[in-house]
Amino acid sequence: MPYLTQVLQGKRSVLKVFGSDYPTPDGTGVRDYIHVMDLGSGHISAVRKLEEYTGCGAYNLGTGKGTSVLELVKAMERASGKRIPLVYKDRRPGDCASIYASTEKANMELRWRAQFDVAKMCEDQWRWAQYSKQLEED
Ligand SMILES: O=c1ccn([C@@H]2O[C@H](COP(=O)(O)OP(=O)(O)O[C@H]3O[C@H](CO)[C@@H](O)[C@H](O)[C@H]3O)[C@@H](O)[C@H]2O)c(=O)[nH]1
């Protein structure tokens, strides 16, 4: 996401897409992207859980949905109204093809689930990027 923004702002000339031959629907890596507001509300839900349970627990905070690099690029292009130039590169060593969260435990035990989708993440990221750039210039 930060790299997409940097390309849109002219800080990088292109987005390097690491791997286009993964066993995923479009060949690019799939990840579970989460809106920062959802990440925050997930942590608040975890703190509230301490009111009834004081042991240790591990919870995945994600949407439970995988998004490919190309899907994220398209969503950011729609949000910004700008095209993102791409260059395809080899896979990065150690990267996996696809990873997304199992969110059932957080849904059930924290009574939490992510509210925002990738379209909303891109809209808010793009708005924030423009605002922060303006602040830098002022
Ligand atoms: O310039 C870029 C940057 C990323 N990607 C792709 O975008 C996806 C997300 O990449 P990244 O943001 O680097 O996240 P991960 O690959 O999920 O790796 C992060 O999450 C891992 C597990 O927590 C950590 O081990 C890593 O250090 C951390 O970078 C992957 O498919 C990458 O191949 C690109 O195509 N171009």
Side-chain angles (χ1 to χ4, degrees), residues 46-59 109-110:
V47 170
R48 292 216 171 106
K49 179 78 179 168
L50 293 173
E51 289 165 10
E52 59 187 69
Y53 172 74
T54 53
C56 287
Y59 296 91
E109 296 186 16
L110 302 183

Side-chain angles (χ1 to χ4, degrees), residues 1-4 12 14-19 22 28-33 67-69 72 91-92 95-97 99:
M1 190 72 91
Y3 295 136
L4 293 179
R12 284 173 189 267
V14 291
L15 179 79
K16 293 176 187 169
V17 178
F18 296 127
Y22 282 113
T28 64
V30 167
R31 297 290 185 275
D32 189 337
Y33 297 93
T67 300
S68 74
V69 175
L72 195 62
R91 297 178 182 190
R92 284 187 310 195
D95 270 1
C96 66
I99 185 165

Side-chain angles (χ1 to χ4, degrees), residues 32-86:
D32 189 337
Y33 297 93
I34 185 170
H35 196 295
V36 66
M37 296 294 287
D38 278 330
L39 193 60
S41 73
H43 281 79
I44 291 168
S45 298
V47 170
R48 292 216 171 106
K49 179 78 179 168
L50 293 173
E51 289 165 10
E52 59 187 69
Y53 172 74
T54 53
C56 287
Y59 296 91
N60 297 326
L61 299 181
T63 63
K65 184 179 178 303
T67 300
S68 74
V69 175
L70 291 184
E71 285 173 331
L72 195 62
V73 166
K74 293 290 163 219
M76 190 55 111
E77 287 183 336
R78 275 194 292 274
S80 64
K82 294 163 80 135
R83 205 175 66 78
I84 297 172
L86 308 176

